[in-house]
DNA sequence: CTTATATTTGCAACTTAGTTGTAATAACTA
DNA sequence: TAGTTATTACAACTAAGTTGCAAATATAAG
């Protein structure tokens, strides 16, 4: 796990991600762990884990940052990019294990992309 | 143009969008017009114009809101959705006139999606 | 043109996600 | 065990965006 030290903050945060299949927002993590870990630390550990390729992040429709486990546990490559889904009813936000074609753009260099889909999840469709 | 009144704020904002082909961020608009229009008014007029189908909006990689003219001048439909491109060198942000396939998701209802691409624009590729 | 009504505006104060600096603390190394 | 370096908490800050309200202005009615 790279240069990161095994501190209580790191282990508490990793536990949250190992206990769920979905993504977790910074807001949610501060709600859950804010009494045991300072929010600054939460933000900093999350970035470290992202740098280390343990987590990846994306912005939800509300502009809030979400994190999720990386399946491959390596730095996120452009080829790894997958869409994310946010449920408007229950708030569940998750990685979609689908490949999306990043359009070829003439005269432009594509470096990164984000595809986010909003709707009703499997549990919330009527 | 719906129920919106022809006020100076509306006309100044519309002029900005008619003078450019690219998208404009709220930040940029406040920078340009903040001395003539209060920022609260800028935010409120932008939402009105979006409700009216004159503009559409999306979030940039930084979480800042961007607005751009709608080509069709009708409420944004799911079929109208197009990707947006943000240049990391010059900051130019624009609509891409490309169709993206929104993947069919089993057991889920798709309501909205956003596809944003980051890279170097035609003027900034070396 | 004047008045009435409804929308829009500016202002100040607020909310909220996220960041910064720093001194103290804890993890790792030799 | 002692030294070095990374990590932490805390408080203060930044910045995008929102809210409530009284004053101003656009439009409609007379
Ligand atoms: Zn749901
Ligand atoms: Zn993901
Ligand atoms: Zn550029
Ligand atoms: Zn667009």
């Amino acid at each position: 796990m790279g240069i990161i030290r095994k501190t209580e903050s790191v282990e508490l945060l990793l536990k949250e991600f190992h206990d769920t299949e979905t993504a977790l927002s910074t807001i949610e993590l501060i709600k859950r762990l804010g009494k045991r870990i300072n929010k600054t630390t939460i933000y900093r550990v999350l970035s470290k884990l992202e740098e280390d390729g343990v987590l990846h992040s994306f912005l939800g429709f509300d502009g809030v940052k979400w994190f999720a486990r990386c399946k491959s546990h390596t730095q996120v490559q452009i080829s790894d990019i997958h869409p994310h889904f946010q449920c408007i009813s229950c708030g569940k936000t998750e990685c979609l294990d689908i490949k999306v074609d990043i359009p070829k753009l003439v005269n432009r260099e594509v470096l990164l992309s984000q595809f986010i889909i909003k709707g009703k999840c499997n549990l919330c469709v009527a």
Side-chain angles (χ1 to χ4, degrees), chain A residues 6-110:
Chain A
K6 269 179 208 151
T7 64
E8 203 194 348
S9 310
V10 171
E11 288 185 354
L12 285 171
L13 276 162
L14 282 181
K15 189 173 180 315
E16 292 296 327
F17 284 97
H18 280 284
D19 286 354
T20 180
E21 282 302 305
T22 70
L24 295 165
S25 68
T26 49
I27 309 301
E28 176 63 24
L29 289 166
I30 290 168
K31 229 182 264 167
R32 291 191 196 176
L33 301 172
K35 274 168 193 150
R36 305 192 62 183
I37 320 174
N38 184 274
K39 70 167 179 168
T40 312
T41 303
I42 295 179
Y43 282 112
R44 291 203 262 231
V45 170
L46 289 172
S47 327
K48 271 262 164 76
L49 291 172
E50 187 173 20
E51 278 170 34
D52 265 23
V54 179
L55 302 177
H56 64 283
S57 74
F58 55 94
L59 290 184
F61 276 94
D62 43 6
V64 169
K65 207 166 185 180
W66 291 76
F67 286 87
R69 281 202 321 255
C70 290
K71 303 230 159 111
S72 51
H73 190 180
T74 46
Q75 231 78 12
V76 181
Q77 300 294 319
I78 197 149
S79 54
D80 292 338
I81 284 163
H82 51 266
H84 292 97
F85 185 88
Q86 257 190 320
C87 177
I88 54 156
S89 301
C90 68
K92 186 169 72 180
T93 299
E94 49 197 338
C95 303
L96 292 176
D97 218 343
I98 296 177
K99 214 174 183 165
V100 195
D101 298 318
I102 297 152
K104 301 264 175 295
L105 303 174
V106 265
N107 288 328
R108 271 183 266 229
E109 189 187 351
V110 172

